[in-house]
Amino acid sequence: MAVHYVIDAADVPEGGRVIVQAAGKEIGVYRIDGQYYALLNYCPHQGAPLCVGHVTGTNLPSQVYEYIYGHDGEIVRCPWHGWEFDIKTGLSLFDEKVRAKRYEVRVEDGKIGIVI
């Protein structure tokens, strides 16, 4: 596996994302609480550009008639059909067998590298 340096770390705003090209793949690089995460810009459902989807949070397990919101800024919602994925893990919120492709991110000398 090789590290592909794609962007300056300062170019990814806190709570934001930048879509980059690495090894012929389109990858969304996210910055959450000062940490960087990378997901393939491809929804496993029907191939939508996942990383252009809305970044949000979700309802957490709770009692009947109780709504607890959490993981704000850690969930990306597919723009085509609304499937939701945890940015940090790539896991789907509705089925543990479904996941978005996630990549390891390395930061060296202010540059973000994606391990592919």
Side-chain angles (χ1 to χ4, degrees):
M1 300 193 133
V3 180
H4 300 266
Y5 291 94
V6 293
I7 193 168
D8 289 334
D11 290 339
V12 182
E14 180 61 45
R17 74 175 153 242
V18 175
I19 297 175
V20 299
Q21 296 283 332
K25 301 175 187 310
E26 219 172 60
I27 298 171
V29 177
Y30 296 83
R31 184 175 175 188
I32 302 169
D33 296 326
Q35 299 294 312
Y36 297 92
Y37 303 90
L39 294 176
L40 182 63
N41 191 24
Y42 181 89
C43 179
H45 175 227
Q46 289 190 342
L50 178 63
C51 298
V52 300
H54 185 68
V55 175
T56 186
T58 189
N59 288 326
L60 301 176
S62 57
Q63 300 297 316
V64 176
Y65 302 116
E66 178 183 40
Y67 299 96
I68 301 172
Y69 183 77
H71 300 288
D72 192 32
E74 298 178 10
I75 307 299
V76 61
R77 184 178 300 140
C78 177
W80 287 3
H81 301 108
W83 287 31
E84 295 176 317
F85 298 88
D86 185 312
I87 294 168
K88 294 179 176 181
T89 65
L91 292 175
S92 158
L93 297 190
F94 65 90
D95 185 342
E96 63 186 33
K97 295 177 188 172
V98 178
R99 64 180 57 219
K101 174 70 176 157
R102 185 178 67 85
Y103 296 96
E104 179 185 344
V105 176
R106 295 185 186 167
V107 180
E108 292 183 26
D109 297 323
K111 296 274 190 190
I112 292 178
I114 299 172
V115 181
I116 298 178

